[in-house]
Amino acid sequence: MAKVEQADGGRRIVETPTEARQAEPGPSVLALLSISTIAAIFVLAIVWFVFFRT
């Protein structure tokens, strides 16, 4: 849980790095980016073969 501290009359929220990220670091993001990039290349290759190959 985040802690709230009083600093100079204002409110300051102090969080751990994990709380600030609000996500678990892991290979899922790398897998998603890799699969998305490969899928985009595949789709562009199909479009090129269908429309631009003479």
Side-chain angles (χ1 to χ4, degrees):
M1 231 353 125
K3 293 185 245 175
V4 178
E5 294 181 356
Q6 297 291 355
D8 298 327
R11 297 184 72 169
R12 183 175 143 209
I13 298 174
V14 179
E15 295 180 331
T16 65
T18 303
E19 290 172 336
R21 248 190 322 272
Q22 291 294 311
E24 293 183 16
S28 61
V29 174
L30 178 61
L32 176 67
L33 291 174
S34 300
I35 291 169
S36 299
T37 302
I38 291 168
I41 291 170
F42 184 70
V43 168
L44 289 174
I46 290 173
V47 169
W48 183 79
F49 276 111
V50 169
F51 291 109
F52 298 108
R53 192 164 177 203
T54 56

